[in-house]
Amino acid sequence: MATIQTGNQNRERVKLKITKFETFIVPPRWLFLKIETDEGIVGWGEPVIEGKAHTVQAAVDELMDQLIRKDPLRIEDHWQVMYRGGFYRGGSILMSAIAGIDQALWDIKGKYFNTPIYQLLGGACRDSMRVYSWIGGDRPSDVGQAALEKQQAGFTAIKMNATEEMQYIDSYQKVDQVVERVAAIRAATGPDLGIGVDFHGRIHKPMAKVLAKALEPYRLMFIEEPVLPENNEALRDIANHTSTPIATGERMFSRWDFKSLLEDGYVDIIQPDLSHAGGITECKKIFAMAEAYDIAVAPHCPLGPIALAACLQVDATAHNAVIQEQSLGIHYNQGNDLLDYLTEPGVFSYEDGYVKIPQGPGLGITVNEEYVRKMASDSPHRWRNPIWRHKDGSVAEW
């Protein structure tokens, strides 16, 4: 066998094998994955699509057929087999399943070499990462006071949903309500707080142009997903109507999905999700593609602690990563929150709007397995996003 050097000590490379995996559906709306090896090293991942946890769980179960008894350190090969080994590939379910498996494999590899994942990706180019906090809900109200409270807690940026459902052509009253909410945030917090306004794909191109223009005086950090990703060609018209940076990408799942978006040049910030877009292996590549186009990255992550840890490990290595979403206190986290499943929640200690990159081996977090098992047994969720309808009874985008 080959010999490897760790620190000042030489040791024989132990040939690891994957022996077992388990999935855990835990509240509020997450799915965790544990992969075990014959040497006792375990890795954790978070493969989930919000509202489709059981579907992704089934996909993980199928994909893991290819990995049992294999060497977990051959991550790139495993990724290629999971992606290319099926005639049908891509999409939210399969790429989320691959993402969580990939995270767990990287966690194992970092623990094997006793180093954070970012060291295995070329090392860090930053020590901490700016984060933003959510305010409001799906039908936002009283956001001025909420933003002030986040600012007083030390956050330098917040994000909110823009509006409730909107028709293709809708009333200016709804536009005025969005403007009033953003104006209330500016009045409460001053000119320097970063404000992201998430259109959530709820708004179609005609009203997105109107709303983007109306919000321009408030100097937003970005507008997010102004149209659905299947309508990304509309970003050209929206970009021509505003100087506000445009962000999108949480519902795009591979470098091939992002290719035309980057080439077209109408987006300023991409937001791949490390639990949806193929995991650490794929998102590192997507980040690098964006850097070549002078485009920033703000990874999507309204999820759990494993997903956030994965984001931060890649953020540490990416020059164009500018800010990180995180779910502490988000309106979706009912009953359980971001830190509940960790034995050392202080690993995500926010200070002056930043969080330090976790320095422990692998993902840099320690999952409280006992609590995970308890919640998976006692409170498995069946979270579903709401179904909205317009006044005429037609289905609205959520």
Side-chain angles (χ1 to χ4, degrees):
M1 290 187 180
T3 299
I4 63 170
Q5 183 170 333
T6 303
N8 294 321
Q9 296 180 334
N10 291 326
R11 66 181 175 89
E12 191 174 75
R13 183 199 187 287
V14 175
K15 184 74 170 179
L16 295 179
K17 289 184 180 179
I18 296 169
T19 57
K20 181 182 177 183
F21 73 95
E22 293 180 85
T23 51
F24 306 91
I25 291 180
V26 296
R29 55 179 189 159
W30 303 331
L31 174 66
F32 293 167
L33 165 68
K34 178 188 178 186
I35 295 179
E36 300 182 33
T37 68
D38 58 349
E39 292 294 325
I41 301 174
V42 305
W44 289 87
E46 193 169 334
V48 68
I49 278 288
E50 301 91 302
K52 302 292 184 202
H54 292 80
T55 312
V56 180
Q57 184 183 42
V60 169
D61 185 70
E62 291 181 333
L63 288 168
M64 286 298 298
D65 286 347
Q66 300 290 335
L67 271 68
I68 296 297
R69 310 307 300 171
K70 300 293 178 59
D71 180 354
L73 304 187
R74 290 176 56 86
I75 298 174
E76 182 67 30
D77 184 61
H78 296 322
W79 197 98
Q80 297 294 343
V81 168
M82 288 188 290
Y83 182 79
R84 300 180 189 278
F87 185 77
Y88 300 99
R89 59 187 65 167
S92 61
I93 301 303
L94 290 177
M95 294 304 287
S96 296
I98 290 173
I101 295 170
D102 182 81
Q103 292 167 4
L105 295 179
W106 277 106
D107 194 27
I108 289 170
K109 190 161 190 168
K111 290 171 180 174
Y112 177 83
F113 288 107
N114 194 32
T115 193
I117 290 167
Y118 72 77
Q119 294 287 16
L120 303 175
L121 297 175
C125 64
R126 60 171 50 85
D127 301 317
S128 61
M129 187 68 189
R130 190 183 182 200
V131 293
Y132 64 80
S133 185
W134 267 87
I135 62 170
D138 288 323
R139 297 177 181 273
S141 61
D142 300 326
V143 290
Q145 180 60 33
L148 179 61
E149 291 171 0
K150 296 297 185 182
Q151 185 182 49
Q152 291 172 341
F155 289 98
T156 62
I158 56 90
K159 190 170 82 175
M160 58 176 280
N161 280 322
T163 182
E164 56 191 33
E165 64 270 18
M166 264 197 178
Q167 276 283 15
Y168 287 82
I169 300 295
D170 214 315
S171 72
Y172 278 85
Q173 181 183 18
K174 288 186 179 179
V175 174
D176 292 342
Q177 289 170 349
V178 178
V179 172
E180 288 170 8
R181 287 192 286 269
V182 175
I185 294 172
R186 274 282 171 252
T189 64
D192 298 327
L193 184 74
I195 303 174
V197 177
D198 189 355
F199 287 26
H200 216 254
R202 295 172 183 167
I203 304 170
H204 301 275
K205 185 174 80 167
M207 298 308 297
K209 291 192 296 184
V210 172
L211 191 53
K213 191 70 173 178
L215 290 171
E216 198 166 39
Y218 298 94
R219 302 171 69 183
L220 302 181
M221 183 169 59
F222 56 77
I223 56 173
E224 178 174 333
E225 220 178 32
V227 291
L228 292 165
E230 50 264 44
N231 298 326
N232 274 343
E233 70 280 355
L235 295 177
R236 176 187 59 196
D237 289 344
I238 296 168
N240 288 333
H241 274 76
T242 182
S243 61
T244 302
I246 294 173
T248 195
E250 70 185 66
R251 287 187 273 188
M252 301 172 68
F253 307 110
S254 73
R255 74 199 92 149
W256 296 280
D257 287 349
F258 280 93
K259 182 167 62 173
S260 60
L261 179 72
L262 297 174
E263 289 174 350
D264 289 345
Y266 298 112
V267 69
D268 305 290
I269 305 166
I270 61 165
Q271 300 170 300
D273 188 309
L274 272 85
S275 280
H276 300 337
I280 290 169
T281 298
E282 183 71 350
C283 284
K284 175 64 175 171
K285 297 172 183 179
I286 294 169
F287 287 22
M289 287 172 63
E291 185 180 2
Y293 287 90
D294 202 27
I295 290 173
V297 177
H300 181 255
C301 190
L303 297 170
I306 302 169
L308 178 57
C311 288
L312 292 173
Q313 292 295 330
V314 182
D315 290 338
T317 72
H319 185 266
N320 56 333
V322 294
I323 197 165
Q324 176 62 56
E325 182 173 27
Q326 54 82 41
S327 75
L328 186 64
I330 197 172
H331 49 289
Y332 302 121
N333 291 358
Q334 300 294 321
N336 285 95
D337 211 331
L338 176 67
L339 307 179
D340 293 348
Y341 293 96
L342 300 180
T343 60
E344 299 174 358
V347 70
F348 295 139
S349 179
Y350 304 123
E351 185 176 350
D352 298 327
Y354 287 78
V355 63
K356 291 189 181 300
I357 307 300
Q359 295 298 307
L363 289 168
I365 60 173
T366 303
V367 174
N368 186 337
E369 184 173 339
E370 181 180 356
Y371 188 70
V372 169
R373 290 185 180 279
K374 180 181 185 303
M375 297 310 293
S377 174
D378 295 350
S379 306
H381 71 84
R382 289 188 68 86
W383 188 88
R384 299 290 184 264
N385 62 262
I387 302 300
W388 288 359
R389 292 186 181 274
H390 295 294
K391 190 174 182 179
D392 64 5
S394 60
V395 173
E397 300 290 349
W398 170 67

